[in-house]
Amino acid sequence: MSSALAEFKNLVGTKFEMYNSLFTSLPFHRVEKTGILLSLFLLHCEEGFRKEQSPAEIIESFFRQYTTYENEKDQIDLLFRFIQYSERQVVLFDALEDAAFGATHDMNGSGTLKQLQAEVIQSNAQQALAEKLKDFSVRMVLTAHPNQFYPSEVLGIIHDLGKALLRDDTVLVNTYLQQLGKTPFFKKKKPTPYDEAVNLIWFLENVFYHSAGNILSFLTNEFPGVVTEKNQLIRMGFWPGGDRDGNPFVKADTTLKVAEALRGSIIKCYYRDVRLLKGRLTFQGVDTLLATLEDRLYKNLFIPGYKADLSKEEITDTLKEIRDILIEKHNSLFLAKVNNLLTKVNLFGLFFASLDVRQDSSAHKELIEQIAEKTSVLPENYTSLSDEAKIKTLQSVDALVVDTDIDKDAFETLLTIQTVQKFNGSEGCHRYIISHTTSAVDVMEVYALFVMAGWKKEHLTVDFVPLFETIGDLQNAAKAMTLLYQNEAYQKHLKRRDRVQTIMLGFSDGTKDGGYLMANWSIYKAKEELTRISREYDVEVVFFDGRGGPPARGGGKTHQFYASMGQNIANKEIQLTIQGQTISSNFGTREAARYNIEQLMHSGISNGLFSSRTATMSQSEEQLLQELSDESYEAFRILKDDPDFLEYLNFASPLRYYAEANIGSRPSKRKAGKLNLNDLRAVPYVGAWSQLKQNIPGYYGVGIAFEKMEKEGKWNQVMELYQSSLYFRTLIGNCEMAMSKCFFPLTAYLSKHPKYGVLWNMFHDEFMRTKKYTLMLTGKSELMSERETDQLSIQMRQRIELPLITIQQYALTMIREKGNKVDSPGVEIFEKLVMRCSFGIINAERNSA
């Protein structure tokens, strides 16, 4: 047993059992009886599934054997108490795991900057490091996707509970557990986009501000002169308030309000730090400078009209003057504290996190068509023009659109970016992301819209970021970018933007469109080709990965993907979205955030410095991966084209209740109307499979592809690829994680269903097939056995959530039996059961959304 596993068992496993017993004294209705009955119910579920019973049979037999409840009202009341109790168990487990993070992870070991320091010194690579860090950075973008199933009040309790658990303060732990018992876990109404922004700003203020600052201070101290003000190695991005894609509630004023909140938040952080410095720097010549700076920050925070009267340079100049005085006159006393704050100001400026604006290409197309129809800015026949003619027309646009009938908010949004840049600095809002980019026209339409809104071409301080998502779009990406690079107007724009082009690649919709293997491989190949094309046109390409929490959406152990990229893929920067529960699970505490940011930085820096360790795949290896992806894609295509595929998901899972769960401001579908895969959002799609415990998007087609290779006598080649390619091992490792969270006995009752039985058996067969070949590849007897701490965490979480998934499936069964009609007697109460279970299940999974 490893030391990390031993620590996990002691600090998480044992303590969970101990503190779990405190729940019997919590202020729930008939709580003691609930706790005892829930323990019996858990054992009854485990036994029932072993006997191949359905959730309904398990629950009905439990009521008969262990309770005297005969009427439905009393039985449902007990199930709600089970849910309430289980939700708190999940919180306790989360808090324990967070508190134990430092003990269960080697904070100076593999993948950390401490290890990088040793490697650099050992290899005498200080100069190479300095060269690499001139333009390398990690940009983490917090997204506006349903980002947390815990309300902000519960997040605060978890934070405080973790601190009390770390100190083994049983009295305080008990108090916080009682507070949890009185605090609602579900939201009565949907959050607004601004609410979502405020929730995420909490993480910026309380976690990233400190962790990122400390990392840069470490690098500055250990490698003097390597970290410069010109390039900040860590950058934060932000989507709430700027992401319009499919969200009708985000308007221009929302963007401005969120930008103001970000500015206010970072100034508040500086204000606190300056006040702390005042308590230490009480020396003559320094105290007055600090007092003046404190006053300026205070006025910016609390007095209207001052926000235009403060610049980042004013703060840094004052701190540099203080630094010089400390060195010259005060023996450099507390110099590290001043340098630490100076590092943070250089990092976060007055914007804290760069606010990205995003919109779907179809919205721009619709707007352009209105302009062509209602104004003389574009020719009337614009829609019938060829792509080449459209681009020629768009690059020549030089007139404002003033027609009052045309979408005002769209143009106000483009001008809002100017306003944000004026107050928060140019980094405050400088990227416009175009979802579902299919061609160069999609980018040029946005370029033209900025000009029509009033931006001058020569002062267009905005980066246009195409987002390629579907398999077809990924395969066509290089062609689209070639046309852009060849365009004279766009060439001039790129020159003004230092010849840097950011391209976003979306895992979520790629997986939804092509299945797990094909989505990942298509993105890899797109990066290869886009790197080649960009270098050909002397453009520095930066890839921005749209990753979700689970492996099916590009999540899992993401830093390993970056470490595994070959030298034929640009690695100037690492940019990725941090979304879903990944925000709180990987970056919820300062310790966890520091560790995971360092892992990302290490993977990108070491890949550049020690490239010989990451072998670029040979042509034969790429060919083998292409064959695997093609076979997997064909299997997934057959599945998704099955007319019953989405209907099965809607029938068996809580998919249709996502929109009612009040977890995010965005609708669960892009468009109203009949359910279809294109319009269905990735979060509810992947999340519904996760709650079903089938996780189809995370492995389906992989086993079929492996089986085909074995039949063709190519299995040895697959084994060799697994041994030689870190990229392929990472793909399979994340696939293992998706399978480890499956539990097919939950839905085994559907195996004999007259309509959906065929699909269930297909899913189960592919799960067993993929598991068999994965274990053959790894040479292990269990999934994830080489990651024993993660494996144990998943197993413990699955035990906690077993009552919840059982109750949820039982409730869905009852809804179907009652005719699936909202006005049927009793349906509403079972629908509430379904939704309440969702919160606990998703929270227990941690990276399922």
Side-chain angles (χ1 to χ4, degrees):
M1 184 192 302
S2 69
S3 58
L5 183 63
E7 291 282 17
F8 189 91
K9 285 183 174 179
N10 179 41
L11 296 175
V12 182
T14 304
K15 282 191 174 183
F16 177 75
E17 296 302 326
M18 180 180 75
Y19 284 115
N20 192 32
S21 63
L22 288 175
F23 275 106
T24 56
S25 62
L26 290 183
F28 296 155
H29 171 57
R30 295 147 78 181
V31 71
E32 189 171 352
K33 194 173 183 181
T34 302
I36 295 166
L37 285 173
L38 181 59
S39 299
L40 291 171
F41 181 58
L42 171 60
L43 295 172
H44 192 73
C45 288
E46 290 175 329
E47 183 186 1
F49 286 122
R50 276 195 298 271
K51 292 178 179 177
E52 299 182 356
Q53 293 178 338
S54 70
E57 289 169 334
I58 289 169
I59 286 179
E60 286 161 8
S61 62
F62 173 78
F63 283 132
R64 286 197 307 271
Q65 290 179 42
Y66 295 102
T67 76
T68 56
Y69 302 146
E70 293 185 1
N71 70 66
E72 192 173 77
K73 185 181 180 304
D74 288 339
Q75 291 175 351
I76 289 174
D77 180 55
L78 179 62
L79 294 180
F80 273 115
R81 297 209 308 272
F82 282 171
I83 294 168
Q84 192 180 31
Y85 201 103
S86 297
E87 284 174 332
R88 273 73 183 173
Q89 287 181 318
V90 174
V91 170
L92 174 61
F93 195 86
D94 281 351
L96 280 165
E97 220 172 34
D98 287 345
F101 191 92
T104 57
H105 294 76
D106 188 348
M107 302 300 287
N108 295 313
S110 177
T112 64
L113 293 184
K114 199 73 177 172
Q115 188 209 32
L116 179 69
Q117 179 191 26
E119 288 176 319
V120 167
I121 292 170
Q122 189 178 354
S123 308
N124 197 26
Q126 289 91 334
Q127 188 56 44
L129 176 67
E131 197 61 33
K132 173 68 180 172
L133 296 189
K134 277 183 181 176
D135 59 4
F136 174 80
S137 68
V138 171
R139 183 190 287 253
M140 292 161 292
V141 181
L142 307 183
T143 77
H145 295 73
N147 49 57
Q148 191 47 257
F149 287 73
Y150 290 130
S152 54
E153 298 82 4
V154 176
L155 276 176
I157 298 170
I158 293 174
H159 184 261
D160 296 337
L161 181 60
K163 287 183 178 177
L165 289 166
L166 205 54
R167 298 193 303 268
D168 277 328
D169 189 336
T170 310
V171 174
L172 201 52
V173 168
N174 190 40
T175 304
Y176 290 142
L177 290 177
Q178 288 190 50
Q179 185 185 1
L180 277 176
K182 295 284 191 182
T183 305
F185 270 52
F186 56 95
K187 298 166 184 173
K188 291 182 179 176
K189 61 179 184 178
K190 276 183 176 291
T192 65
Y194 183 73
D195 294 334
E196 290 173 329
V198 169
N199 286 342
L200 285 192
I201 287 173
W202 185 92
F203 287 97
L204 287 174
E205 272 188 36
N206 293 281
V207 179
F208 288 101
Y209 177 75
H210 303 279
S211 299
N214 289 338
I215 288 172
L216 289 187
S217 292
F218 168 81
L219 282 170
T220 303
N221 293 334
E222 297 302 324
F223 300 103
V226 166
V227 180
T228 66
E229 291 180 19
K230 289 182 180 177
N231 179 47
Q232 293 307 318
L233 298 175
I234 300 171
R235 301 168 190 268
M236 297 304 303
F238 206 74
W239 274 13
D243 185 5
R244 287 152 170 73
D245 182 7
N247 194 337
F249 307 111
V250 178
K251 302 293 184 185
D253 61 337
T254 316
T255 304
L256 194 57
K257 193 177 175 186
V258 169
E260 288 173 346
L262 285 165
R263 178 190 167 94
S265 179
I266 191 59
I267 291 176
K268 182 167 62 175
C269 290
Y270 297 154
Y271 177 69
R272 286 171 180 162
D273 275 1
V274 166
R275 285 182 64 85
L276 289 173
L277 273 179
K278 271 186 71 183
R280 291 288 168 265
L281 303 184
T282 52
F283 324 133
Q284 191 174 4
V286 174
D287 53 352
T288 52
L289 285 171
L290 270 177
T292 302
L293 181 56
E294 179 194 22
D295 182 60
R296 298 282 285 126
L297 292 169
Y298 177 87
K299 286 175 177 174
N300 258 265
L301 272 177
F302 301 113
I303 298 178
Y306 262 81
K307 71 176 180 180
D309 193 33
L310 180 73
S311 67
K312 169 191 166 184
E313 288 69 32
E314 180 185 342
I315 303 172
T316 55
D317 288 348
T318 303
L319 290 172
K320 285 174 184 175
E321 190 177 347
I322 291 169
R323 181 182 64 186
D324 293 342
I325 295 172
L326 288 179
I327 294 169
E328 290 172 18
K329 298 182 179 179
H330 302 293
N331 304 317
S332 298
L333 204 55
F334 301 119
L335 182 63
K337 291 184 182 295
V338 176
N339 281 336
N340 185 270
L341 179 54
L342 189 54
T343 297
K344 289 172 181 171
V345 178
N346 280 322
L347 174 59
F348 298 114
L350 293 180
F351 61 93
F352 213 158
S354 187
L355 186 57
D356 289 345
V357 176
R358 182 172 79 130
Q359 181 57 287
D360 193 275
S361 61
S362 62
H364 307 133
K365 206 168 292 299
E366 193 177 318
L367 182 55
I368 287 283
E369 287 172 5
Q370 284 185 46
I371 293 167
E373 183 186 332
K374 297 179 180 180
T375 76
S376 58
V377 176
L378 291 173
E380 281 184 53
N381 66 337
Y382 173 84
T383 54
S384 61
L385 296 175
S386 66
D387 280 6
E388 186 182 354
K390 283 180 179 177
I391 290 173
K392 195 172 180 181
T393 301
L394 293 165
Q395 73 177 27
S396 308
V397 167
D398 202 15
L400 300 181
V401 170
V402 292
D403 194 295
T404 52
D405 292 337
I406 292 172
D407 188 349
K408 271 188 176 181
D409 185 72
F411 287 107
E412 284 175 7
T413 295
L414 304 184
L415 293 175
T416 295
I417 296 173
Q418 277 184 335
T419 308
V420 175
Q421 289 189 0
K422 180 182 176 184
F423 294 121
N424 290 14
S426 59
E427 285 189 82
C429 187
H430 66 95
R431 307 203 307 181
Y432 195 103
I433 298 161
I434 305 152
S435 298
H436 287 110
T437 298
T438 60
S439 68
V441 174
D442 293 332
V443 179
M444 290 305 293
E445 284 184 338
V446 176
Y447 171 86
L449 285 170
F450 270 83
V451 177
M452 294 179 211
W455 284 78
K456 299 296 181 187
K457 291 178 183 178
E458 60 274 16
H459 300 302
L460 188 45
T461 50
V462 176
D463 299 310
F464 301 110
V465 182
L467 167 50
F468 299 102
E469 299 175 86
T470 67
I471 303 304
D473 292 343
L474 287 164
Q475 291 169 347
N476 193 49
K479 181 184 174 186
M481 293 312 300
T482 301
L483 284 173
L484 278 177
Y485 292 157
Q486 290 173 344
N487 180 267
E488 187 182 348
Y490 199 76
Q491 275 183 6
K492 288 178 180 176
H493 176 70
L494 274 180
K495 190 175 180 182
R496 289 190 290 268
R497 303 302 294 162
D498 298 322
R499 302 198 67 78
V500 175
Q501 174 66 57
T502 303
I503 299 174
M504 189 173 180
L505 304 163
F507 282 81
S508 299
D509 280 345
T511 307
K512 201 173 65 171
D513 183 46
Y516 178 72
L517 260 188
M518 180 55 94
N520 280 279
W521 183 237
S522 294
I523 287 171
Y524 187 95
K525 290 301 291 178
K527 284 184 176 181
E528 272 190 339
E529 191 63 9
L530 288 165
T531 300
R532 185 186 67 78
I533 291 294
S534 299
R535 287 171 179 169
E536 190 179 312
Y537 286 91
D538 192 28
V539 173
E540 188 77 59
V541 67
V542 175
F543 294 118
F544 176 23
D545 291 318
R547 295 179 179 273
R553 297 185 58 225
K557 299 293 181 182
T558 55
H559 61 273
Q560 291 176 358
F561 274 111
Y562 295 111
S564 70
M565 293 293 108
Q567 296 310 300
N568 50 352
I569 290 178
N571 66 346
K572 173 188 166 83
E573 295 181 25
I574 286 176
Q575 295 192 11
L576 72 164
T577 54
I578 311 289
Q579 56 182 263
Q581 298 121 299
T582 312
I583 295 170
S584 55
S585 61
N586 288 359
F587 303 92
T589 66
R590 293 176 193 177
E591 219 166 21
R594 176 163 185 169
Y595 179 83
N596 284 301
I597 294 171
E598 285 193 15
Q599 292 285 319
L600 285 169
M601 293 184 75
H602 182 280
S603 64
I605 294 169
S606 63
N607 187 300
L609 292 188
F610 313 112
S611 55
S612 57
R613 297 180 191 173
T614 309
T616 302
M617 278 185 277
S618 67
Q619 192 173 346
S620 61
E621 287 175 328
E622 287 209 359
Q623 180 57 38
L624 183 60
L625 251 171
Q626 186 66 55
E627 286 181 48
L628 285 165
S629 300
D630 287 340
E631 293 296 339
S632 174
Y633 178 55
E634 180 59 21
F636 188 77
R637 187 193 61 76
I638 291 169
L639 177 64
K640 73 170 188 172
D641 288 348
D642 188 309
D644 292 333
F645 175 59
L646 265 192
E647 287 305 317
Y648 169 90
L649 184 63
N650 208 32
F651 174 86
S653 80
L655 176 66
R656 60 190 177 278
Y657 298 107
Y658 259 83
E660 299 168 46
N662 295 332
I663 56 173
S665 66
R666 184 195 310 276
S668 60
K669 292 195 297 179
R670 281 189 171 91
K671 298 172 185 172
K674 189 181 175 185
L675 184 67
N676 68 74
L677 205 53
N678 288 336
D679 292 335
L680 181 60
R681 285 273 169 197
V683 169
Y685 172 72
V686 173
W689 285 116
S690 173
Q691 290 190 65
L692 260 186
K693 295 291 154 194
Q694 292 182 340
N695 283 335
I696 297 304
Y699 62 84
Y700 195 91
V702 177
I704 290 170
F706 283 157
E707 186 176 67
K708 184 83 182 294
M709 293 298 108
E710 186 185 38
K711 285 177 179 175
E712 292 179 0
K714 296 179 180 178
W715 183 249
N716 282 341
Q717 293 176 41
V718 177
M719 295 279 284
E720 287 169 12
L721 180 65
Y722 184 78
Q723 294 302 321
S724 64
S725 169
L726 175 59
Y727 174 76
F728 188 51
R729 287 199 301 278
T730 303
L731 273 183
I732 300 306
N734 280 349
C735 192
E736 282 186 77
M737 183 189 289
M739 288 190 289
S740 293
K741 295 184 177 184
C742 289
F743 184 64
F744 274 86
L746 175 70
T747 51
Y749 70 97
L750 291 173
S751 63
K752 297 181 177 64
H753 190 277
K755 184 176 182 182
Y756 299 116
V758 173
L759 277 173
W760 188 93
N761 284 292
M762 278 174 64
F763 300 150
H764 183 254
D765 289 348
E766 177 59 356
F767 170 80
M768 297 304 293
R769 187 184 296 114
T770 307
K771 182 179 177 182
K772 168 193 159 185
Y773 282 104
T774 299
L775 294 176
M776 282 169 61
L777 262 187
T778 61
K780 308 288 185 185
S781 58
E782 291 181 332
L783 295 171
M784 290 184 69
S785 56
E786 79 288 355
R787 287 152 60 183
E788 49 191 9
T789 304
D790 290 342
Q791 183 192 51
L792 181 58
S793 173
I794 289 171
Q795 289 169 354
M796 292 185 72
R797 287 176 175 278
Q798 285 183 318
R799 265 204 109 212
I800 295 170
E801 68 176 338
L802 187 60
L804 294 170
I805 60 176
T806 307
I807 292 169
Q808 186 180 71
Q809 275 298 313
Y810 163 72
L812 286 166
T813 301
M814 296 305 292
I815 291 168
R816 292 193 293 263
E817 286 183 3
K818 289 175 179 286
N820 219 355
K821 295 174 184 173
V822 178
D823 56 352
S824 295
V827 163
E828 189 179 330
I829 197 71
F830 286 107
E831 289 184 324
K832 284 183 180 176
L833 272 178
V834 170
M835 284 187 280
R836 284 297 306 279
C837 285
S838 287
F839 297 115
I841 296 168
I842 294 290
N843 287 329
E845 290 284 322
R846 273 221 149 171
N847 74 344
S848 60

